[in-house]
Amino acid sequence: MKKMHYREWGIESTRYWGLLAILAGIIAVAGLAVLHMEHSGHWVTGMNNHVVWGTPHVFAVFLIVAASGALNIASIGSVFNKKCYKPLAPLSGLLAITLLVGGLLVLVLDLGRPDRLIVAMTHYNFKSIFAWNIYLYTGFMVIVVLYLWTMMERKMNGYTKAAGTFAFVWRLALTTGTGSIFGFIVARQGYDAAIYAPLFIVMSFAFGLAFYLLVLGFAFDWDNRELGDRIYMRLKNLLGLFVAATLYFVIAYHLTNLYATENHEYESFILLNGGVYTMMFWVGQVFIGSLIPMGILYHPALGKSRGAVNAAAILVILGGLAAMYVIIIGGQAFPMAMFPGKEVIESGFFDGTVASYSPSLPEVALGIGGIAAALLMTAIGIRMLRFLPESLADDKMDNRQD
Amino acid sequence: MTEKTNLARRNFLSKLPVAAATATIAPGVVLQSTSANAEPRSEAVTSKVRWGMLVNANKCADDCSACVDACDKENGMDIHSMPEGADAENWDQQKPRWIRTVKLKDIQTGHVSKLPMMCQHCEHPPCEDVCPTGASFRRADGVVLVDRHTCIGCRYCMMACPYKARSFIHENVDIKPTLAPRGKGCVESCTFCVHRLDNGQTTTACQDACANEGHHAIVFGDLNDPQSKVAKALKKYPSQQVRDDLKLNPGVYYSGI
């Protein structure tokens, strides 16, 4: 078996610092947006008392979901013993941590009182999924750091499988927790469904792998390292499979809803007459985020083109953001069924009407800042430590067929 | 009220001999207990009382907003102004609202009813369940409140409330009313005028306003006391709880919807 060598990201300093400067610039803009929102209050955003979670949550939940999925590559190697995935594992662990930190930053900075984060760390109500999540998220980071240590420190290699299995189970719990934020909400028609937990898990596979493919391709390309077709094709086929699986869960969710009469109005809102939410669902989530990427990934010619596969991965990410928009904003915009059998003809608090929401610039800036923060940490990580294998050329992978 | 005072007097008199004996043996104990009797706010609330409300939608007048106005005044929403530069339409959806009136039409029969909606002070409040820090809580006497010292402004309670009863403070607050202190970035909702209850009063601002208008659509009181007005009214009129399918056992009942 050929030995795999790992090396720090060796691109020229100017490119490296240029990249960091661009990402830091985006983060700085996000920082200004946060200052603006926190100084003035949330009235400067598009959020209101009816749509209480806005664009920052779309990005935050997306990043948290993607984070747990990014770890999947490492899990396939160490938990499911697919040897050819093992060289991919360190980057997978790093991305899992950085995406999670990026998402949590967005989440925390959108709090009404981010200055009270210490309160969230010292006062717990264990009936709340949010309280569980504080442990699930911080625990995830600690476990993945340990997992990375067992991978990157030769003396610890013997523990990789155990650490990887623990991390895999933990990540399933984590994404279950994230999905259950919505799954456990009985008040709103679009939520209150157990399928949110597995839906988020399968979404995480797709979003995390899309991020992984893009970062891996970019990092290797800039550093002139060889990324062989053999492993690349496996990854892109896997992405196609995950996207298809996500679509299956989305169909199952809507079909289940369509069977129950009480959900018909909500379903027609999302699928037929919900305006921007209907468009986000069909155009964003289904076409851009699922069908087109699947078409590219499984196309005999396009599927072999690195550019087209990268485009497919970008579309999966955009479609993922659209999916979160439909779930998070659409789920809140749809009026709550407080009085079954009655029509609200007048209300002093917008009952019975579709809540209005339009994303504001600071919200979008904060969300993009979260992605930039994740990428910045990843760039620094691969530059400083040996996360990337020297080569993933086909001849290096000969003994790693399974 | 008079009946209650008489009861208290009778209780006091009946306990006099015991108190005299105790004072001789353990003066420290009696000192503490008398001071507790003298200061209602220094006693912890108990589950012997459950505050609740019956709204009779048949009595809720069509063009009346007295309850909403009274709540705004009592809890300082009236001194709350739109931030400079805000869009009036957006602000309308961002400003705090503890009580609102809703007019409903029955889809089958066409029957129109109007009612006030506010925090329903559930026995099993979803807002309390989801709050990560425990800032949303239910007192032993059934009042659901937000501890504004530990609310981090995550708004999960607003996602979870089936009655859309909660408001987030979207802006800086210049004047902070003593009775209902509010600050930017925290969530709040109807408190059943807890500041009144804790000072020995037994009515809410919305109830008083409704009665002053002569409608008497809101009856408030102790659901656990069979002699209370609200308990008697609930026994007399058929009523329902909004979204009773969720089994949250709200403290607010409605009749005539």
Side-chain angles (χ1 to χ4, degrees):
Chain A
M1 192 168 116
K2 286 175 191 166
K3 189 157 168 38
M4 191 56 73
H5 292 281
Y6 296 86
R7 192 161 41 86
E8 294 90 347
W9 203 30
I11 59 168
E12 315 88 88
S13 279
T14 44
R15 284 178 107 185
Y16 174 66
W17 287 105
L19 175 70
L20 291 199
I22 292 169
L23 293 171
I26 298 171
I27 295 166
V29 172
L32 288 174
V34 170
L35 280 179
H36 176 53
M37 289 192 284
E38 294 304 333
H39 177 75
S40 314
H42 273 63
W43 70 266
V44 298
T45 71
M47 289 176 260
N48 51 52
N49 284 327
H50 314 280
V51 175
V52 300
W53 287 352
T55 305
H57 278 78
V58 170
F59 278 90
V61 177
F62 172 78
L63 281 168
I64 292 166
V65 168
S68 56
L71 191 69
N72 228 35
I73 298 301
S75 304
I76 297 172
S78 39
V79 182
F80 300 102
N81 288 325
K82 299 284 176 198
K83 279 188 193 144
C84 69
Y85 281 87
K86 287 195 174 166
L88 306 172
L91 177 64
S92 160
L94 176 68
L95 255 186
I97 294 175
T98 57
L99 288 172
L100 184 64
V101 172
L104 288 179
L105 275 175
V106 177
L107 200 66
V108 163
L109 291 173
D110 182 53
L111 289 176
R113 297 294 304 261
D115 53 313
R116 287 186 179 168
L117 197 59
I118 190 73
V119 175
M121 300 288 178
T122 48
H123 292 67
Y124 289 105
N125 162 32
F126 285 108
K127 221 177 164 188
S128 166
I129 294 273
F130 265 16
W132 301 359
N133 283 350
I134 292 171
Y135 280 95
L136 286 169
Y137 296 162
T138 48
F140 180 77
M141 284 189 254
V142 173
I143 292 161
V144 176
V145 167
L146 288 175
Y147 182 26
L148 282 171
W149 183 46
T150 68
M151 282 192 264
M152 297 167 80
E153 167 60 57
R154 198 171 305 158
K155 276 183 265 174
M156 297 300 293
N157 281 173
Y159 299 100
T160 301
K161 181 155 185 163
T165 309
F166 189 38
F168 177 66
V169 173
W170 195 276
R171 66 124 307 187
L172 291 179
L174 184 150
T175 328
T176 301
T178 312
S180 300
I181 290 174
F182 303 95
F184 285 5
I185 291 180
V186 294
R188 295 173 191 265
Q189 210 67 35
Y191 306 145
D192 187 23
I195 200 173
Y196 271 106
L199 172 67
F200 272 45
I201 289 175
V202 77
M203 275 179 167
S204 80
F205 292 168
F207 306 162
L209 182 53
F211 261 111
Y212 186 90
L213 256 180
L214 288 170
V215 169
L216 180 76
F218 176 81
F220 266 54
D221 188 42
W222 268 33
D223 203 17
N224 296 320
R225 298 190 197 192
E226 206 174 327
L227 178 57
D229 263 348
R230 195 164 286 157
I231 188 69
Y232 194 78
M233 288 301 129
R234 282 185 82 140
L235 288 176
K236 77 102 190 161
N237 284 337
L238 196 60
L239 180 62
L241 181 71
F242 288 161
V243 171
T246 303
L247 194 58
Y248 165 78
F249 271 83
V250 171
I251 292 168
Y253 166 77
H254 287 291
L255 280 181
T256 317
N257 265 356
L258 281 168
Y259 203 78
T261 313
E262 61 163 338
N263 295 320
H264 285 181
E265 273 181 57
Y266 177 73
E267 283 304 315
S268 75
F269 175 71
I270 296 295
L271 303 179
L272 293 175
N273 51 30
V276 65
Y277 306 105
T278 304
M279 200 192 75
M280 277 278 186
F281 177 76
W282 288 113
V283 179
Q285 190 177 347
V286 176
F287 285 102
I288 293 179
S290 310
L291 296 180
I292 298 177
M294 274 161 65
I296 293 172
L297 295 169
Y298 289 125
H299 191 276
L302 285 175
K304 289 195 175 70
S305 146
R306 299 277 169 112
V309 172
N310 281 341
I314 291 172
L315 292 182
V316 170
I317 289 173
L318 293 176
L321 286 167
M324 289 300 159
Y325 198 90
V326 173
I327 291 172
I328 297 175
I329 317 274
Q332 294 174 82
F334 183 73
M336 274 191 231
M338 240 176 278
F339 306 99
K342 314 270 183 205
E343 180 195 346
V344 179
I345 47 179
E346 228 176 82
S347 165
F349 202 53
F350 305 92
D351 293 286
T353 52
V354 174
S356 70
Y357 170 78
S358 37
S360 63
L361 201 57
E363 290 172 78
V364 179
L366 171 58
I368 293 174
I371 297 181
L375 294 178
L376 180 88
M377 286 179 279
T378 312
I380 295 173
I382 57 175
R383 176 79 167 188
M384 296 291 168
L385 294 168
R386 294 169 184 174
F387 280 103
L388 297 176
E390 275 187 342
S391 169
L392 289 170
D394 289 346
D395 59 333
K396 302 264 179 193
M397 310 294 289
D398 274 349
N399 293 322
R400 298 168 183 271
Q401 286 301 305
D402 53 343
Chain B
M1 195 69 191
T2 332
E3 200 178 289
K4 201 161 188 175
T5 321
N6 283 339
L7 256 178
R9 188 176 297 144
R10 203 176 305 148
N11 280 340
F12 177 67
L13 288 172
S14 66
K15 281 171 188 157
L16 256 184
V18 183
T22 322
T24 328
I25 303 160
V29 175
V30 87
L31 266 178
Q32 278 198 357
S33 69
T34 36
S35 71
N37 282 337
E39 296 263 346
R41 294 183 67 174
S42 63
E43 271 177 34
V45 293
T46 68
S47 56
K48 281 182 200 153
V49 176
R50 175 153 190 219
W51 297 109
M53 193 178 260
L54 171 66
V55 175
N56 188 339
N58 293 324
K59 293 183 178 175
C60 185
D62 200 17
D63 51 353
C64 177
S65 63
C67 56
V68 177
D69 301 338
C71 175
D72 280 4
K73 191 156 186 276
E74 180 89 6
N75 297 297
M77 257 90 74
D78 59 334
I79 50 170
H80 205 66
S81 51
M82 183 170 92
E84 213 173 301
D87 176 75
E89 209 175 303
N90 279 348
W91 172 245
D92 217 23
Q93 308 193 41
Q94 291 172 326
K95 65 182 178 191
R97 168 110 348 272
W98 287 13
I99 182 170
R100 79 266 193 185
T101 56
V102 184
K103 200 188 268 186
L104 304 169
K105 187 173 148 189
D106 192 292
I107 296 167
Q108 297 293 326
T109 63
H111 174 73
V112 173
S113 51
K114 187 182 163 220
L115 49 94
M117 275 300 289
M118 70 299 278
C119 171
Q120 305 285 297
H121 298 275
C122 308
E123 187 188 350
H124 309 289
C127 57
E128 184 195 28
D129 290 347
V130 301
C131 177
T133 64
S136 276
F137 68 103
R138 181 183 181 272
R139 296 203 325 182
D141 60 356
V143 181
V144 175
L145 296 173
V146 180
D147 179 347
R148 252 73 69 84
H149 294 290
T150 48
C151 172
I152 57 171
C154 73
R155 303 159 342 253
Y156 198 9
C157 57
M158 300 175 75
M159 291 290 280
C161 174
Y163 307 105
K164 216 164 72 163
R166 294 202 153 184
S167 292
F168 178 71
I169 302 304
H170 286 77
E171 65 294 324
N172 286 302
V173 181
D174 299 327
I175 312 166
K176 301 184 183 191
T178 325
L179 298 181
R182 65 168 47 87
K184 178 180 69 179
C186 284
V187 173
E188 54 181 47
S189 57
C190 158
T191 62
F192 264 170
C193 287
V194 71
H195 51 276
R196 291 179 170 214
L197 305 179
D198 285 350
N199 282 315
Q201 287 176 268
T202 52
T203 61
T204 61
C206 55
Q207 175 196 16
D208 287 350
C210 188
N212 286 343
E213 291 292 313
H215 304 312
H216 300 278
I218 300 173
V219 186
F220 177 81
D222 178 8
L223 299 175
N224 286 349
D225 175 9
Q227 298 308 315
S228 71
K229 265 190 184 175
V230 67
K232 284 180 179 168
L234 278 167
K235 202 170 178 187
K236 191 168 166 193
Y237 302 107
S239 62
Q240 65 181 93
Q241 295 158 310
V242 177
R243 289 229 59 184
D244 52 1
D245 58 315
L246 297 175
K247 310 277 183 219
L248 305 173
N249 190 15
V252 181
Y253 291 76
Y254 290 86
S255 66
I257 53 171

